[in-house]
Amino acid sequence: MSDTISPQLHPHEQKDQGPSRKRIRTGMETIRELDSLINQESVKTKLRRIAAQDKEKNIPFNPICTETTLEACRNVRDKCDKAHYEPIIRPWTDTSLGYCSYLNLCYGDPMFANNPSLGEGVGPRGGVKECRYMHFQVVPSLSSTPKTPPVIPPLPKNVKKRLLGEKIDQYDPPPVPQWVNCDIRTFDYSLLGQFQVIVADPPWDIHMSLPYGTMTDDEMRSLPLRSLQPDWGILCLWVTGRAMELGRELFSVWGYKRVDELVWVKTNQLQRLIRTGRTGHWLNHTCEHLLIALKLPADHPKNAPIPWDTHPTLRQLRKGVDTDVVVAEVRETSRKPDEVYGVIERLAPHGRKLELFGRKHNTRPGWLTLGNQLGDSQIAEEDLHDRLAQKYPNQRFVFVSV
Protein backbone atom coordinates (compact mmCIF):
# COMPACT_ATOMS: atom_id res chain seq x y z
CA MET A 1 0.00 0.00 0.00
CA SER A 2 1.42 3.42 -0.95
CA ASP A 3 1.89 6.18 1.61
CA THR A 4 -1.02 8.53 2.23
CA ILE A 5 -0.67 11.87 0.44
CA SER A 6 -0.30 14.58 3.08
CA PRO A 7 -2.42 17.73 2.76
CA GLN A 8 -0.82 21.16 2.36
CA LEU A 9 0.41 22.34 5.76
CA HIS A 10 0.88 25.78 7.22
CA PRO A 11 4.61 26.72 7.46
CA HIS A 12 4.68 26.42 11.25
CA GLU A 13 3.20 22.90 10.94
CA GLN A 14 5.87 21.67 8.51
CA LYS A 15 8.10 20.48 11.35
CA ASP A 16 5.46 17.87 12.37
CA GLN A 17 5.26 16.30 8.90
CA GLY A 18 8.26 14.00 9.39
CA PRO A 19 7.09 12.31 12.63
CA SER A 20 3.54 12.05 11.24
CA ARG A 21 4.73 10.23 8.14
CA LYS A 22 6.86 7.96 10.31
CA ARG A 23 3.85 7.04 12.43
CA ILE A 24 1.84 6.27 9.26
CA ARG A 25 4.59 4.00 7.95
CA THR A 26 4.88 2.25 11.32
CA GLY A 27 1.12 1.71 11.36
CA MET A 28 1.17 0.27 7.82
CA GLU A 29 4.02 -2.08 8.70
CA THR A 30 2.07 -3.28 11.76
CA ILE A 31 -1.03 -3.90 9.62
CA ARG A 32 1.02 -5.87 7.06
CA GLU A 33 2.61 -7.95 9.81
CA LEU A 34 -0.77 -8.69 11.41
CA ASP A 35 -2.26 -9.58 8.01
CA SER A 36 0.64 -11.96 7.34
CA LEU A 37 0.16 -13.67 10.72
CA ILE A 38 -3.61 -14.01 10.25
CA ASN A 39 -3.21 -15.63 6.82
CA GLN A 40 -0.62 -18.15 7.98
CA GLU A 41 -1.83 -21.74 8.27
CA SER A 42 -1.84 -22.84 11.89
CA VAL A 43 0.09 -25.95 12.92
CA LYS A 44 -3.13 -27.73 13.95
CA THR A 45 -4.84 -26.97 10.62
CA LYS A 46 -1.79 -28.16 8.69
CA LEU A 47 -1.64 -31.41 10.66
CA ARG A 48 -5.36 -32.05 10.13
CA ARG A 49 -4.95 -31.42 6.40
CA ILE A 50 -2.06 -33.90 6.19
CA ALA A 51 -3.97 -36.43 8.30
CA ALA A 52 -6.94 -36.19 5.91
CA GLN A 53 -4.77 -37.24 2.96
CA ASP A 54 -5.28 -40.98 2.94
CA LYS A 55 -2.66 -41.81 0.32
CA GLU A 56 0.13 -39.56 -0.83
CA LYS A 57 0.41 -39.70 -4.63
CA ASN A 58 3.66 -38.28 -5.97
CA ILE A 59 2.51 -37.82 -9.57
CA PRO A 60 5.07 -36.00 -11.77
CA PHE A 61 3.82 -32.76 -13.26
CA ASN A 62 5.09 -29.82 -15.29
CA PRO A 63 3.83 -26.51 -13.84
CA ILE A 64 2.76 -23.80 -16.28
CA CYS A 65 5.07 -20.77 -16.42
CA THR A 66 3.62 -17.60 -14.92
CA GLU A 67 4.35 -15.78 -18.20
CA THR A 68 1.87 -18.20 -19.88
CA THR A 69 3.24 -18.09 -23.44
CA LEU A 70 6.70 -19.14 -24.60
CA GLU A 71 7.25 -15.82 -26.40
CA ALA A 72 6.40 -13.78 -23.31
CA CYS A 73 8.70 -15.93 -21.18
CA ARG A 74 11.67 -15.45 -23.55
CA ASN A 75 11.28 -11.69 -23.18
CA VAL A 76 11.88 -12.08 -19.44
CA ARG A 77 14.42 -14.91 -19.07
CA ASP A 78 16.81 -16.98 -21.18
CA LYS A 79 15.89 -20.42 -19.84
CA CYS A 80 12.76 -21.81 -18.24
CA ASP A 81 12.05 -25.42 -17.26
CA LYS A 82 8.27 -24.99 -17.03
CA ALA A 83 5.57 -25.68 -19.61
CA HIS A 84 4.12 -22.88 -21.77
CA TYR A 85 1.29 -22.21 -24.20
CA GLU A 86 1.82 -21.19 -27.80
CA PRO A 87 -0.84 -19.91 -30.25
CA ILE A 88 -2.29 -22.17 -32.94
CA ILE A 89 -2.23 -20.15 -36.15
CA ARG A 90 -4.58 -21.49 -38.86
CA PRO A 91 -4.96 -20.02 -42.37
CA TRP A 92 -8.19 -18.41 -41.19
CA THR A 93 -6.88 -17.14 -37.82
CA ASP A 94 -7.08 -13.38 -37.29
CA THR A 95 -4.67 -12.56 -34.45
CA SER A 96 -6.06 -9.03 -34.14
CA LEU A 97 -9.26 -10.53 -32.70
CA GLY A 98 -7.46 -11.87 -29.63
CA TYR A 99 -8.00 -15.29 -28.10
CA CYS A 100 -11.24 -17.27 -28.32
CA SER A 101 -13.41 -17.05 -25.21
CA TYR A 102 -13.97 -20.84 -25.41
CA LEU A 103 -10.31 -21.79 -26.15
CA ASN A 104 -10.02 -25.60 -25.85
CA LEU A 105 -13.82 -25.90 -25.49
CA CYS A 106 -14.37 -24.40 -28.94
CA TYR A 107 -15.99 -26.59 -31.59
CA GLY A 108 -14.59 -24.29 -34.26
CA ASP A 109 -10.97 -25.44 -34.13
CA PRO A 110 -9.96 -28.85 -35.54
CA MET A 111 -7.71 -29.65 -32.58
CA PHE A 112 -10.56 -29.34 -30.07
CA ALA A 113 -13.57 -30.42 -32.16
CA ASN A 114 -13.31 -33.99 -30.81
CA ASN A 115 -12.39 -33.06 -27.27
CA PRO A 116 -14.06 -35.77 -25.11
CA SER A 117 -14.91 -33.22 -22.44
CA LEU A 118 -17.25 -31.51 -24.91
CA GLY A 119 -19.59 -34.50 -24.90
CA GLU A 120 -21.15 -36.32 -27.84
CA GLY A 121 -23.01 -34.89 -30.82
CA VAL A 122 -23.07 -31.42 -32.34
CA GLY A 123 -22.10 -28.69 -29.92
CA PRO A 124 -24.29 -25.80 -28.80
CA ARG A 125 -22.33 -23.34 -30.95
CA GLY A 126 -23.47 -24.80 -34.27
CA GLY A 127 -21.05 -27.65 -34.91
CA VAL A 128 -17.58 -27.55 -36.51
CA LYS A 129 -16.68 -24.31 -38.29
CA GLU A 130 -13.61 -22.17 -38.79
CA CYS A 131 -13.13 -20.06 -35.64
CA ARG A 132 -11.07 -16.98 -36.51
CA TYR A 133 -10.01 -16.28 -32.92
CA MET A 134 -6.72 -17.51 -31.47
CA HIS A 135 -6.45 -20.89 -29.74
CA PHE A 136 -3.52 -22.33 -27.79
CA GLN A 137 -1.71 -25.62 -27.25
CA VAL A 138 0.71 -26.69 -24.53
CA VAL A 139 4.44 -26.63 -25.19
CA PRO A 140 6.13 -29.21 -22.91
CA SER A 141 8.92 -28.07 -20.62
CA LEU A 142 12.52 -28.42 -21.77
CA SER A 143 13.44 -30.25 -18.58
CA SER A 144 13.73 -34.03 -19.02
CA THR A 145 12.98 -34.56 -15.33
CA PRO A 146 9.42 -33.56 -14.41
CA LYS A 147 8.99 -31.92 -11.05
CA THR A 148 7.31 -33.87 -8.27
CA PRO A 149 5.34 -32.50 -5.34
CA PRO A 150 7.15 -32.49 -2.01
CA VAL A 151 6.88 -35.77 -0.13
CA ILE A 152 5.02 -35.37 3.17
CA PRO A 153 5.69 -38.29 5.51
CA PRO A 154 2.48 -39.99 6.72
CA LEU A 155 1.36 -39.31 10.26
CA PRO A 156 1.19 -42.18 12.77
CA LYS A 157 -2.27 -43.70 13.23
CA ASN A 158 -2.53 -42.59 16.85
CA VAL A 159 -1.82 -38.99 15.79
CA LYS A 160 -4.46 -39.21 13.03
CA LYS A 161 -6.99 -40.49 15.53
CA ARG A 162 -6.30 -37.61 17.92
CA LEU A 163 -6.54 -35.04 15.12
CA LEU A 164 -9.61 -36.44 13.37
CA GLY A 165 -11.37 -38.20 16.24
CA GLU A 166 -12.26 -41.20 14.09
CA LYS A 167 -11.32 -44.79 13.32
CA ILE A 168 -8.63 -44.86 10.66
CA ASP A 169 -9.80 -48.19 9.19
CA GLN A 170 -13.01 -46.68 7.73
CA TYR A 171 -11.49 -44.47 5.02
CA ASP A 172 -11.35 -46.68 1.89
CA PRO A 173 -14.45 -46.21 -0.35
CA PRO A 174 -16.11 -49.09 -2.24
CA PRO A 175 -14.09 -50.01 -5.33
CA VAL A 176 -16.84 -49.36 -7.90
CA PRO A 177 -19.32 -46.52 -8.52
CA GLN A 178 -23.09 -47.07 -8.66
CA TRP A 179 -25.73 -45.27 -10.69
CA VAL A 180 -29.46 -45.43 -11.48
CA ASN A 181 -30.93 -44.06 -14.69
CA CYS A 182 -34.28 -42.52 -13.73
CA ASP A 183 -36.59 -39.53 -13.80
CA ILE A 184 -35.72 -37.82 -10.53
CA ARG A 185 -39.14 -36.14 -10.38
CA THR A 186 -41.05 -39.44 -10.14
CA PHE A 187 -38.48 -41.94 -8.79
CA ASP A 188 -39.33 -43.94 -5.64
CA TYR A 189 -36.69 -42.72 -3.19
CA SER A 190 -37.82 -45.10 -0.45
CA LEU A 191 -35.83 -47.84 -2.22
CA LEU A 192 -32.48 -46.17 -1.66
CA GLY A 193 -32.02 -46.05 2.10
CA GLN A 194 -30.10 -43.36 4.00
CA PHE A 195 -27.13 -41.21 2.95
CA GLN A 196 -24.73 -39.20 5.06
CA VAL A 197 -23.99 -36.86 2.13
CA ILE A 198 -26.22 -35.67 -0.73
CA VAL A 199 -24.95 -33.51 -3.60
CA ALA A 200 -27.37 -31.99 -6.11
CA ASP A 201 -26.79 -29.92 -9.24
CA PRO A 202 -30.40 -29.20 -10.22
CA PRO A 203 -31.45 -28.02 -13.69
CA TRP A 204 -32.76 -24.75 -12.30
CA ASP A 205 -35.26 -22.78 -14.33
CA ILE A 206 -33.08 -19.68 -14.76
CA HIS A 207 -35.21 -18.20 -17.57
CA MET A 208 -32.54 -18.75 -20.21
CA SER A 209 -32.20 -21.04 -23.24
CA LEU A 210 -30.34 -24.15 -22.06
CA PRO A 211 -29.26 -27.37 -23.85
CA TYR A 212 -31.17 -29.50 -21.29
CA GLY A 213 -34.58 -29.65 -19.61
CA THR A 214 -35.24 -27.72 -16.41
CA MET A 215 -37.33 -28.25 -13.27
CA THR A 216 -39.85 -25.81 -11.86
CA ASP A 217 -39.51 -24.37 -8.37
CA ASP A 218 -42.48 -26.43 -7.16
CA GLU A 219 -40.93 -29.64 -8.51
CA MET A 220 -37.79 -28.83 -6.54
CA ARG A 221 -39.78 -28.18 -3.37
CA SER A 222 -41.50 -31.56 -3.67
CA LEU A 223 -38.25 -33.58 -3.66
CA PRO A 224 -38.26 -35.77 -0.50
CA LEU A 225 -34.65 -35.12 0.45
CA ARG A 226 -35.37 -35.10 4.17
CA SER A 227 -36.37 -38.78 4.03
CA LEU A 228 -33.00 -39.71 2.51
CA GLN A 229 -30.80 -38.50 5.35
CA PRO A 230 -30.39 -39.14 9.05
CA ASP A 231 -30.21 -36.18 11.40
CA TRP A 232 -27.07 -34.06 10.92
CA GLY A 233 -26.59 -35.27 7.33
CA ILE A 234 -24.76 -33.00 4.85
CA LEU A 235 -26.55 -31.57 1.79
CA CYS A 236 -24.53 -29.74 -0.89
CA LEU A 237 -26.55 -27.74 -3.42
CA TRP A 238 -25.12 -26.07 -6.55
CA VAL A 239 -26.79 -22.71 -7.19
CA THR A 240 -26.37 -19.79 -9.57
CA GLY A 241 -28.12 -16.47 -10.12
CA ARG A 242 -31.60 -16.31 -8.60
CA ALA A 243 -31.24 -19.94 -7.46
CA MET A 244 -29.07 -18.69 -4.58
CA GLU A 245 -32.13 -17.30 -2.83
CA LEU A 246 -34.32 -20.21 -3.91
CA GLY A 247 -31.74 -22.66 -2.56
CA ARG A 248 -31.85 -21.07 0.88
CA GLU A 249 -35.65 -21.24 0.79
CA LEU A 250 -35.51 -24.93 -0.13
CA PHE A 251 -33.23 -25.65 2.82
CA SER A 252 -35.94 -24.35 5.11
CA VAL A 253 -38.64 -26.36 3.30
CA TRP A 254 -36.61 -29.56 3.43
CA GLY A 255 -35.56 -29.13 7.09
CA TYR A 256 -31.93 -28.00 6.69
CA LYS A 257 -29.79 -25.14 7.93
CA ARG A 258 -27.15 -23.53 5.73
CA VAL A 259 -23.79 -23.77 7.50
CA ASP A 260 -21.25 -22.87 4.82
CA GLU A 261 -20.62 -22.13 1.15
CA LEU A 262 -17.97 -23.18 -1.38
CA VAL A 263 -17.13 -21.00 -4.40
CA TRP A 264 -15.83 -22.41 -7.68
CA VAL A 265 -13.80 -19.74 -9.52
CA LYS A 266 -13.86 -20.65 -13.22
CA THR A 267 -10.75 -20.42 -15.36
CA ASN A 268 -10.09 -21.15 -19.02
CA GLN A 269 -7.28 -23.05 -20.72
CA LEU A 270 -4.84 -20.19 -20.08
CA GLN A 271 -5.81 -20.15 -16.40
CA ARG A 272 -7.51 -16.78 -16.80
CA LEU A 273 -10.95 -15.93 -15.43
CA ILE A 274 -13.97 -16.81 -17.56
CA ARG A 275 -15.61 -13.51 -18.46
CA THR A 276 -17.52 -13.96 -21.72
CA GLY A 277 -20.01 -16.33 -23.28
CA ARG A 278 -21.33 -17.58 -19.94
CA THR A 279 -24.41 -17.14 -17.78
CA GLY A 280 -25.51 -13.95 -16.11
CA HIS A 281 -28.23 -11.35 -16.71
CA TRP A 282 -26.44 -8.33 -15.21
CA LEU A 283 -22.83 -9.47 -14.98
CA ASN A 284 -21.01 -12.36 -16.62
CA HIS A 285 -20.67 -14.99 -13.93
CA THR A 286 -17.08 -16.03 -13.24
CA CYS A 287 -17.96 -18.37 -10.39
CA GLU A 288 -20.56 -20.82 -9.11
CA HIS A 289 -21.63 -21.44 -5.53
CA LEU A 290 -22.10 -24.68 -3.62
CA LEU A 291 -24.32 -24.14 -0.59
CA ILE A 292 -23.62 -26.56 2.26
CA ALA A 293 -26.43 -27.35 4.69
CA LEU A 294 -26.93 -29.56 7.72
CA LYS A 295 -30.07 -31.62 8.24
CA LEU A 296 -31.62 -30.75 11.59
CA PRO A 297 -33.61 -33.12 13.82
CA ALA A 298 -37.34 -32.45 13.59
CA ASP A 299 -37.41 -31.32 17.24
CA HIS A 300 -34.33 -29.09 17.02
CA PRO A 301 -35.27 -25.45 17.77
CA LYS A 302 -34.75 -23.19 14.76
CA ASN A 303 -32.23 -20.83 16.37
CA ALA A 304 -30.66 -23.28 18.83
CA PRO A 305 -26.87 -23.78 18.61
CA ILE A 306 -25.55 -26.85 16.78
CA PRO A 307 -23.74 -29.32 19.09
CA TRP A 308 -20.60 -29.59 16.95
CA ASP A 309 -18.35 -30.75 19.79
CA THR A 310 -20.72 -33.03 21.69
CA HIS A 311 -22.81 -34.98 19.20
CA PRO A 312 -20.97 -38.13 17.90
CA THR A 313 -22.09 -37.69 14.28
CA LEU A 314 -21.00 -34.06 14.13
CA ARG A 315 -17.66 -34.84 15.75
CA GLN A 316 -16.88 -37.20 12.86
CA LEU A 317 -16.93 -34.31 10.38
CA ARG A 318 -13.44 -33.15 9.42
CA LYS A 319 -13.91 -29.43 9.86
CA GLY A 320 -11.07 -27.04 9.16
CA VAL A 321 -9.27 -29.16 6.54
CA ASP A 322 -10.12 -27.42 3.24
CA THR A 323 -10.79 -23.84 2.18
CA ASP A 324 -14.06 -22.57 0.72
CA VAL A 325 -12.61 -21.68 -2.72
CA VAL A 326 -11.80 -24.02 -5.62
CA VAL A 327 -10.08 -22.59 -8.71
CA ALA A 328 -10.53 -24.97 -11.64
CA GLU A 329 -10.86 -25.02 -15.42
CA VAL A 330 -14.30 -25.27 -17.02
CA ARG A 331 -15.30 -28.28 -19.09
CA GLU A 332 -18.55 -29.16 -20.86
CA THR A 333 -21.85 -27.53 -19.90
CA SER A 334 -22.82 -28.05 -16.24
CA ARG A 335 -19.81 -30.25 -15.41
CA LYS A 336 -18.31 -29.34 -12.04
CA PRO A 337 -14.65 -29.66 -10.91
CA ASP A 338 -13.45 -33.05 -9.69
CA GLU A 339 -11.66 -31.24 -6.85
CA VAL A 340 -15.01 -30.49 -5.19
CA TYR A 341 -15.61 -34.20 -4.57
CA GLY A 342 -12.35 -34.35 -2.65
CA VAL A 343 -13.44 -31.46 -0.46
CA ILE A 344 -16.78 -33.16 0.31
CA GLU A 345 -15.23 -36.58 0.96
CA ARG A 346 -12.69 -35.10 3.35
CA LEU A 347 -15.41 -33.15 5.15
CA ALA A 348 -17.62 -36.23 5.59
CA PRO A 349 -15.50 -39.39 5.12
CA HIS A 350 -18.07 -41.86 6.50
CA GLY A 351 -21.46 -43.07 5.35
CA ARG A 352 -23.09 -43.50 1.95
CA LYS A 353 -23.03 -40.67 -0.56
CA LEU A 354 -25.67 -39.75 -3.15
CA GLU A 355 -25.52 -37.39 -6.14
CA LEU A 356 -28.69 -36.17 -7.83
CA PHE A 357 -28.92 -34.95 -11.44
CA GLY A 358 -25.61 -36.61 -12.33
CA ARG A 359 -24.16 -37.84 -15.62
CA LYS A 360 -21.61 -40.53 -16.41
CA HIS A 361 -18.71 -38.20 -15.64
CA ASN A 362 -20.10 -37.73 -12.10
CA THR A 363 -19.98 -41.41 -11.14
CA ARG A 364 -17.22 -42.32 -8.71
CA PRO A 365 -16.38 -45.01 -6.11
CA GLY A 366 -18.33 -44.73 -2.88
CA TRP A 367 -21.15 -42.76 -4.52
CA LEU A 368 -24.61 -43.59 -5.91
CA THR A 369 -25.56 -41.28 -8.81
CA LEU A 370 -29.10 -40.60 -10.04
CA GLY A 371 -29.91 -38.96 -13.38
CA ASN A 372 -31.76 -39.41 -16.65
CA GLN A 373 -28.67 -39.59 -18.92
CA LEU A 374 -26.82 -42.54 -17.35
CA GLY A 375 -27.78 -45.46 -19.62
CA ASP A 376 -28.07 -48.92 -18.06
CA SER A 377 -28.01 -48.74 -14.26
CA GLN A 378 -25.13 -50.28 -12.30
CA ILE A 379 -25.56 -51.45 -8.70
CA ALA A 380 -23.02 -53.02 -6.32
CA GLU A 381 -25.25 -53.40 -3.24
CA GLU A 382 -27.18 -56.67 -3.50
CA ASP A 383 -30.15 -55.63 -1.38
CA LEU A 384 -30.52 -52.35 -3.28
CA HIS A 385 -30.32 -54.21 -6.60
CA ASP A 386 -33.12 -56.57 -5.54
CA ARG A 387 -35.40 -53.72 -4.45
CA LEU A 388 -34.86 -51.80 -7.68
CA ALA A 389 -35.39 -54.87 -9.89
CA GLN A 390 -38.62 -55.71 -8.08
CA LYS A 391 -39.97 -52.16 -8.29
CA TYR A 392 -38.94 -51.55 -11.91
CA PRO A 393 -39.06 -54.99 -13.65
CA ASN A 394 -38.86 -53.49 -17.15
CA GLN A 395 -35.63 -51.66 -16.46
CA ARG A 396 -32.15 -53.20 -16.60
CA PHE A 397 -30.01 -53.04 -13.45
CA VAL A 398 -26.51 -54.46 -13.89
CA PHE A 399 -25.27 -56.04 -10.68
CA VAL A 400 -21.51 -55.71 -10.05
CA SER A 401 -20.01 -58.02 -7.45
CA VAL A 402 -17.27 -56.49 -5.27
Side-chain angles (χ1 to χ4, degrees), residues 70 85 101 106 128 155 162 208 262 265 316 318 334 368:
L70 186 59
Y85 287 101
S101 60
C106 181
V128 177
L155 296 176
R162 290 178 60 187
M208 292 181 64
L262 182 144
V265 179
Q316 289 185 350
R318 296 176 179 172
S334 79
L368 174 64

Side-chain angles (χ1 to χ4, degrees), residues 176-214:
V176 296
Q178 303 180 91
W179 63 85
V180 176
N181 191 66
C182 65
D183 186 339
I184 289 180
R185 297 169 297 181
T186 59
F187 183 74
D188 185 358
Y189 291 94
S190 65
L191 305 172
L192 300 179
Q194 299 278 287
F195 298 88
Q196 183 61 31
V197 174
I198 297 178
V199 175
D201 183 17
W204 302 104
D205 184 6
I206 59 175
H207 310 306
M208 292 181 64
S209 178
L210 298 171
Y212 51 80
T214 60

Side-chain angles (χ1 to χ4, degrees), residues 14-270:
Q14 294 289 339
K15 61 182 180 179
D16 295 331
Q17 185 175 2
S20 176
R21 277 182 169 271
K22 186 175 182 181
R23 286 194 296 270
I24 291 174
R25 290 196 185 94
T26 303
M28 290 297 98
E29 290 172 358
T30 303
I31 291 174
R32 294 191 190 100
E33 183 178 358
L34 288 173
D35 184 64
S36 175
L37 291 173
I38 291 172
N39 290 316
Q40 281 184 2
E41 185 179 36
S42 68
V43 175
K44 182 178 179 180
T45 301
K46 182 176 181 180
L47 287 173
R48 294 187 70 182
R49 175 172 55 80
I50 296 173
Q53 298 173 354
D54 298 338
K55 296 180 180 179
E56 200 66 41
K57 297 181 179 179
N58 296 320
I59 301 175
F61 70 101
N62 291 322
I64 298 294
C65 176
T66 55
E67 303 299 329
T68 307
T69 64
L70 186 59
E71 180 181 2
C73 181
R74 286 172 174 169
N75 293 331
V76 177
R77 59 184 66 87
D78 295 331
K79 293 182 179 181
C80 181
D81 61 354
K82 297 181 180 179
H84 302 82
Y85 287 101
E86 68 176 5
I88 304 171
I89 305 299
R90 308 286 186 190
W92 54 82
T93 302
D94 185 351
T95 57
S96 65
L97 297 176
Y99 67 84
C100 174
S101 60
Y102 295 100
L103 292 175
N104 59 328
L105 294 183
C106 181
Y107 291 89
D109 187 87
M111 176 171 287
F112 307 123
N114 296 320
N115 187 337
S117 69
L118 299 177
E120 300 177 355
V122 178
R125 295 180 289 283
V128 177
K129 59 181 180 180
E130 296 178 353
C131 180
R132 299 170 60 205
Y133 291 82
M134 291 175 61
H135 300 85
F136 294 83
Q137 61 185 345
V138 177
V139 182
S141 64
L142 300 177
S143 174
S144 59
T145 306
K147 297 181 180 295
T148 56
V151 177
I152 302 176
L155 296 176
K157 285 191 174 183
N158 62 329
V159 176
K160 279 190 175 184
K161 186 173 182 179
R162 290 178 60 187
L163 289 168
L164 304 178
E166 307 159 359
K167 293 182 179 179
I168 306 303
D169 299 332
Q170 299 178 0
Y171 292 166
D172 291 335
V176 296
Q178 303 180 91
W179 63 85
V180 176
N181 191 66
C182 65
D183 186 339
I184 289 180
R185 297 169 297 181
T186 59
F187 183 74
D188 185 358
Y189 291 94
S190 65
L191 305 172
L192 300 179
Q194 299 278 287
F195 298 88
Q196 183 61 31
V197 174
I198 297 178
V199 175
D201 183 17
W204 302 104
D205 184 6
I206 59 175
H207 310 306
M208 292 181 64
S209 178
L210 298 171
Y212 51 80
T214 60
M215 286 181 64
T216 66
D217 296 353
D218 287 337
E219 286 175 330
M220 290 298 302
R221 292 186 183 95
S222 64
L223 290 178
L225 295 192
R226 186 177 185 89
S227 64
L228 294 174
Q229 286 198 295
D231 295 338
W232 311 121
I234 297 292
L235 171 60
C236 303
L237 188 67
W238 284 103
V239 295
T240 181
R242 76 173 189 91
M244 293 184 187
E245 300 305 320
L246 177 58
R248 289 173 169 83
E249 175 195 335
L250 292 176
F251 285 157
S252 179
V253 172
W254 293 333
Y256 291 78
K257 179 177 182 179
R258 191 195 74 86
V259 294
D260 217 321
E261 181 174 333
L262 182 144
V263 177
W264 167 31
V265 179
K266 300 180 178 181
T267 60
N268 59 25
Q269 182 189 18
L270 300 183

Side-chain angles (χ1 to χ4, degrees), residues 100-102 105 124-125 208 266 273-280 283-285 330 333:
C100 174
S101 60
Y102 295 100
L105 294 183
R125 295 180 289 283
M208 292 181 64
K266 300 180 178 181
L273 293 179
I274 294 290
R275 288 183 287 187
T276 58
R278 300 292 166 179
T279 60
L283 301 173
N284 286 310
H285 293 171
V330 298
T333 302

